[in-house]
Amino acid sequence: MHGTKILEEADRLMTVCNSCRYCEGLCAVFPAMEMRRSFSDGDLNYFANLCHACGACYTDCQFSPPHEFNVNVPKTFAIARAESWAAYAWPHAFSSLFARNGLAIGLIAALSVAAFIFGFAAVTDRQVLVGVHTGPGAFYALMPHNAIVALFGGAFLYAIIALVMGVRAFWRDIGEPIGMLIEPGSLWEAMRDAGQLRYLDGGGVGCFNEDERPTDRRKIYHHLTFYGFLLCFAATSVATLYHYLLAREAPYPWWDLPVVLGTLGGIGLLIGPAGLLAEKFKRDPALVDEKRTGMDVAFIVMLFLTSFTGLALLSWRDTPAMGPLLALHLGVVFALFITLPYGKFVHGLYRYAALVRYARERRMMGHGSATE
Ligand code: SF4
Ligand code: SF4
């Protein structure tokens, strides 16, 4: 007996797959399955988060619908994955946010933006929103640096705590001692697999999206999004070091490191999410967890808007549009931060933790590295 209906279904499918084993070369899920004869709730949640949703095992399966066995691993794992995220949410009272994440993000974003724009006008002077401010410290004419740090530092810290608590719950659920999450060899191997999106390739041919022709498009757009996000994060980190270590205040000239990193990351975060959204709308409905499409779309749109408003601010920062654009950008980023623990963003952390476990399991079973 399992805790939910979807885990019952996942157990049924894994039992069929464990007899068949046709898909064992496609990804990490099937070799992990083959290490077991029966499946606990934690095992099934581990498989669901290890799955990269490439669709290959649906396209290749001789038992997929309309066969009476009705084997649909990608869709079953998509639903199980989303339900597991809600179960691991911290604080647990917020777990229902996953179910209505699209609406929640929309409302939080709208309120955040409105609060920032009114806040600027209220704490300073309405004129400051429409005046021209240039040179070092220009942004802080609108909102003092310490106020920005307090607001965003608080939101960021909250997001980090909530995300760490979620990963801790996942790690416990899959039955691993917490100390094993920091095993250097497994961490490194999982980082390499995650950095290459090794298992989003349908066993080497590309993933399946709208039909039976494999394609690398989702992988490419995902890379652009992921590395774009990392570059933007690096830009913010370098700017923070500039501020505190070198006493250099933003905004910086276009050739300076934070701006170069932010611009490159911003371009990735425009093209990647736009491409992922286009792929999502084309995706074969048989592979999709329709109930959570809103959550996926909301996160992709928030990433796109973060980049769009950031690049707009960079382009028009020497004009009277700077005030409203800064308020808009900060509002979007604030909404992104506080919704991170309750939306699609968490898939990266749980998938990474699942890859760490997979690397560790292979070592324990004497299989060596997954790349061998
Ligand atoms: S998905 Fe289908 S083909 Fe692949 S292992 Fe399972 S039952 Fe076999
Ligand atoms: S959808 Fe792809 S990653 Fe997921 S179980 Fe099937 S083959 Fe593996």
Side-chain angles (χ1 to χ4, degrees):
M1 282 293 288
H2 289 286
T4 62
K5 276 188 182 164
I6 199 67
L7 293 180
E8 293 283 354
E9 173 64 0
D11 190 320
R12 182 185 75 84
L13 299 190
M14 289 297 97
T15 305
V16 174
C17 292
N18 221 358
S19 306
C20 166
R21 301 196 169 186
Y22 179 76
C23 295
E24 65 184 358
L26 292 183
C27 69
V29 170
F30 295 95
M33 171 199 77
E34 289 173 13
M35 293 177 200
R36 296 160 170 83
R37 293 289 169 267
S38 61
F39 312 104
S40 66
D41 283 7
D43 291 332
L44 296 165
N45 285 327
Y46 160 52
F47 299 159
N49 283 283
L50 194 55
C51 168
H52 286 47
C54 76
C57 63
Y58 179 78
T59 307
D60 290 0
C61 183
Q62 59 272 40
F63 304 122
S64 60
H67 191 282
E68 61 182 326
F69 285 5
N70 193 26
V71 173
N72 187 339
V73 175
K75 183 167 187 161
T76 304
F77 278 167
I79 300 170
R81 210 165 32 239
E83 290 191 2
S84 76
W85 301 343
Y88 304 139
W90 184 91
H92 193 66
F94 287 1
S95 63
S96 64
L97 278 178
F98 276 97
R100 33 197 172 86
N101 186 273
L103 177 65
I105 282 196
L107 286 174
I108 291 170
L111 290 174
S112 302
V113 170
F116 268 90
I117 292 179
F118 283 111
F120 277 133
V123 298
T124 52
D125 162 1
R126 204 172 306 163
Q127 279 307 309
V128 88
L129 271 175
V130 291
V132 175
H133 308 273
T134 56
F139 290 160
Y140 312 127
L142 291 107
M143 182 176 258
H145 180 264
N146 287 346
I148 294 180
V149 170
L151 261 175
F152 283 82
F156 188 62
L157 190 65
Y158 173 78
I160 295 287
I161 292 172
L163 291 167
V164 168
M165 294 301 283
V167 171
R168 184 167 166 264
F170 171 63
W171 202 247
R172 281 190 168 166
D173 184 33
I174 66 176
E176 288 287 333
I178 201 72
M180 291 302 126
L181 192 50
I182 45 173
E183 193 183 76
S186 303
L187 282 176
W188 169 245
E189 201 174 311
M191 203 177 293
R192 207 176 42 197
D193 291 344
Q196 297 170 356
L197 282 178
R198 177 179 160 85
Y199 299 113
L200 190 64
D201 73 347
V205 294
C207 74
F208 296 82
N209 193 42
E210 65 271 29
D211 55 30
E212 296 188 358
R213 284 171 300 176
T215 164
D216 283 329
R217 287 195 306 268
R218 281 180 72 223
K219 189 172 189 171
I220 292 167
Y221 292 135
H222 195 292
H223 274 320
L224 283 166
T225 305
F226 176 64
Y227 288 106
F229 186 87
L230 285 189
L231 283 172
C232 290
F233 187 74
T236 308
S237 304
V238 173
T240 304
L241 293 178
Y242 273 22
H243 188 93
Y244 288 109
L245 295 184
L246 306 179
R248 292 188 55 200
E249 293 193 322
Y252 304 107
W254 66 266
W255 44 261
D256 220 330
L257 190 56
V259 183
V260 172
L261 291 173
T263 305
L264 291 175
I267 292 169
L269 267 187
L270 279 185
I271 302 171
L276 285 176
L277 205 54
E279 294 302 310
K280 185 159 287 297
F281 288 130
K282 282 190 283 183
R283 194 158 172 80
D284 182 348
L287 302 171
V288 175
D289 170 15
E290 302 91 347
K291 271 194 188 165
R292 274 85 176 186
T293 301
M295 171 173 75
D296 292 6
V297 170
F299 179 57
I300 293 172
V301 169
M302 285 303 293
L303 287 177
F304 182 89
L305 286 178
T306 300
S307 170
F308 186 76
T309 54
L311 291 175
L313 176 62
L314 176 65
S315 304
W316 285 290
R317 62 185 180 173
D318 294 333
T319 73
M322 191 264 265
L325 283 175
L326 180 60
L328 198 59
H329 182 58
L330 292 182
V332 171
V333 174
F334 189 78
L336 179 72
F337 273 9
I338 59 174
T339 53
L340 282 183
Y342 310 107
K344 184 65 188 271
F345 176 81
V346 301
H347 83 284
L349 295 178
Y350 294 131
R351 184 174 289 164
Y352 178 71
L355 285 168
V356 173
R357 192 202 193 181
Y358 179 61
R360 191 174 120 68
E361 274 187 341
R362 286 187 61 87
R363 285 163 187 271
M364 285 169 53
M365 301 288 285
H367 290 276
S369 159
T371 52
E372 286 167 10

